[in-house]
Amino acid sequence: MGLGILAVFFICLSIAIYLFQNYFLFRLLRAIICFTALSYLFVAHRKRIQKWIVGFLFFYGASSITTVWYENGTMASISMILNFIAFLFLLWYIVPKVNLQNLSKTFTILFILIVLVNGYLFFKLIELMKEMILSKTQYIFMLLDALCGILLVFLSLLYNHSVNNAKSMSYALLIFLLIFGEIFRSIAYYNLAYGATFVYLGRIFFVLSMYMVVHFSFLELKSTHSLKYPLPRTF
């Protein structure tokens, strides 16, 4: 309940700041939200906090800080590099969890179609932004971010299909919220369609993804604790 209230607060604050046209603070608030989630988990979990979540939130927050100066080519490239590193931490968690042997032929075809459609949309979006990209490095890492996003969507769906529990569903939801947040933010920044609407959608999906990171962290610790200390067998 507390996390939900905090998420609503950050969404309302983001909208208010954007309406007052304080774009510097609007971009900086993105980093503040990331580091608030990270600080909350440090306080709640202490030494038990998952390393991949620390890495993801730290680099995602650092990437958000650099977007304050996104109109500078060097800072835009650094932002994309940090974003890519953050996505690698998400892959670090999910890759060992996935077992391709559990994938049936039907789901294989379905997942391939999902990946192809998502991949096409991602690259079409990047092509639309290509003329406004400031450097080759930025463009390369935007492509790498897109590839990571496609891979994360595929692996999270496969993981949920194989395991199908609250944790796998939460991780899949986290990935979808994060990816849609990135897409809407890009559409809004490059003014491809309905700028203000997509600004709000991008920030809402981003805040909800941070909520899911914290929620998933608690689920992960709970399941790990259950494995370490199983219930005693009764006869």
Side-chain angles (χ1 to χ4, degrees), residues 133-162:
I133 293 172
L134 301 173
S135 69
K136 288 184 178 180
T137 304
Q138 182 189 1
Y139 179 67
I140 290 168
F141 276 93
M142 284 182 78
L143 289 174
L144 289 173
D145 284 344
L147 286 170
C148 271
I150 295 164
L151 186 57
L152 282 167
V153 168
F154 171 72
L155 292 176
S156 64
L157 287 173
L158 179 56
Y159 175 50
N160 187 53
H161 167 65
S162 302

Side-chain angles (χ1 to χ4, degrees), residues 77-214:
S77 297
I78 292 172
S79 178
M80 288 295 99
I81 292 168
L82 292 171
N83 213 65
F84 175 67
I85 295 171
F87 279 7
L88 290 180
F89 278 96
L90 293 175
L91 286 172
W92 178 23
Y93 171 79
I94 193 64
V95 168
K97 306 283 184 183
V98 173
N99 185 0
L100 295 175
Q101 292 179 351
N102 295 332
L103 194 60
S104 65
K105 289 182 180 179
T106 303
F107 277 97
T108 300
I109 295 169
L110 178 62
F111 285 145
I112 288 172
L113 286 174
I114 290 170
V115 169
L116 288 175
V117 171
N118 283 330
Y120 174 77
L121 293 175
F122 261 121
F123 289 115
K124 288 297 288 184
L125 178 62
I126 292 173
E127 282 298 312
L128 288 173
M129 300 184 293
K130 190 174 181 179
E131 297 300 321
M132 295 172 276
I133 293 172
L134 301 173
S135 69
K136 288 184 178 180
T137 304
Q138 182 189 1
Y139 179 67
I140 290 168
F141 276 93
M142 284 182 78
L143 289 174
L144 289 173
D145 284 344
L147 286 170
C148 271
I150 295 164
L151 186 57
L152 282 167
V153 168
F154 171 72
L155 292 176
S156 64
L157 287 173
L158 179 56
Y159 175 50
N160 187 53
H161 167 65
S162 302
V163 179
N164 194 24
N165 58 20
K167 194 171 70 168
S168 65
M169 290 180 68
S170 295
Y171 186 86
L173 183 57
L174 159 62
I175 296 302
F176 275 88
L177 289 170
L178 195 68
I179 297 302
F180 275 107
E182 288 288 327
I183 292 171
F184 290 141
R185 180 171 67 135
S186 298
I187 292 172
Y189 179 81
Y190 291 102
N191 201 25
L192 300 177
Y194 306 108
T197 302
F198 281 97
V199 167
Y200 300 142
L201 285 173
R203 184 52 58 90
I204 289 168
F205 276 86
F206 165 72
V207 172
L208 291 177
S209 70
M210 293 299 102
Y211 172 90
M212 285 306 303
V213 168
V214 175

Side-chain angles (χ1 to χ4, degrees), residues 45 48 50 166-167 214-230:
H45 299 334
R48 297 180 301 160
Q50 299 94 331
K167 194 171 70 168
V214 175
H215 175 67
F216 182 80
S217 177
F218 278 92
L219 284 178
E220 176 77 358
L221 274 185
K222 184 179 179 181
S223 63
T224 304
H225 186 270
S226 298
L227 289 172
K228 279 186 176 180
Y229 305 103

